[in-house]
Amino acid sequence: MYRNAYGSLYDDAVVSPGGKPGRYLRWKWSNPGVVIVPRWADMVALVPSFRYPIGDLSWEFPRGGREPDESVEQAAARELKEETGLTATATRRLGVLYADTGLIESPIEVVEAQVENPASGERSPEAMESVAEPAWFGSAELCAAFADQRVRCAITIAAAALARPR
């Protein structure tokens, strides 16, 4: 139905579990996704990003697409550096999530990245990302940000659940 450099939108002819024909809209990203949980000591960093679809600022973990020749860990380190200026010293895959199982077929790898220093360096985000300096949140502050709905991004909320200390 539609395709650009970022992905493809499909309008599939389907048959429901009850046997009725219908249509189903489906999005597939061009590159697999990765979301990064930046960690320094007992804190995590969120990035304030202006998101055009909601017309508002959204506090999120950095995220992006993996290039064809990159490992998940390489993509996480690259996206972290691009969007926050932070440098990963170690990475750990936490799991896979789906942003919207009713629309988006592409999985997103969740990677925790230890950083060497909480001070961000030079960033190079894409023009439409409009990201600013990351802010560090302790466990109680992060819970408060969820409770008062400063954090509304489903990907960030799901990644935080995977990153919780066990």
Side-chain angles (χ1 to χ4, degrees):
M1 183 172 175
Y2 174 80
R3 177 175 286 132
N4 67 18
Y6 299 103
S8 300
L9 183 65
Y10 299 89
D11 184 14
D12 296 329
V14 298
V15 176
S16 74
K20 293 186 179 181
R23 309 290 307 174
Y24 209 101
L25 200 60
R26 172 176 56 94
W27 176 261
K28 180 178 182 179
W29 290 105
S30 295
N31 295 323
V34 62
V35 58
I36 305 94
V37 180
R39 190 174 292 282
W40 181 74
D42 62 346
M43 296 186 291
V44 296
L46 295 175
V47 179
S49 304
F50 179 80
R51 295 299 188 188
Y52 174 78
I54 64 171
D56 201 1
L57 191 72
S58 179
W59 283 93
E60 304 175 357
F61 287 133
R63 67 177 190 254
R66 193 172 91 211
E67 300 298 327
D69 61 340
E70 282 183 312
S71 70
V72 170
E73 295 82 1
Q74 289 169 328
R78 177 185 51 75
E79 286 288 344
L80 178 67
K81 186 73 170 170
E82 285 176 7
E83 294 188 8
T84 68
L86 297 168
T87 300
T89 57
T91 58
R92 179 172 63 110
R93 290 168 85 165
L94 300 177
V96 176
L97 58 88
Y98 290 85
D100 183 342
T101 58
L103 177 64
I104 303 171
E105 75 172 65
S106 307
I108 301 170
E109 292 272 356
V110 181
V111 177
E112 182 179 74
Q114 298 294 324
V115 300
E116 63 184 4
N117 184 329
S120 62
E122 187 176 332
R123 300 180 323 272
S124 57
E126 294 177 20
M128 293 307 294
E129 288 178 319
S130 302
V131 296
E133 292 285 325
W136 291 93
F137 292 75
S139 181
E141 295 166 312
L142 188 61
C143 287
F146 291 154
D148 67 20
Q149 295 191 348
R150 278 179 286 154
V151 177
R152 299 172 288 167
C153 169
I155 294 170
T156 295
I157 293 167
L162 287 174
R164 271 190 10 208
R166 297 182 189 353

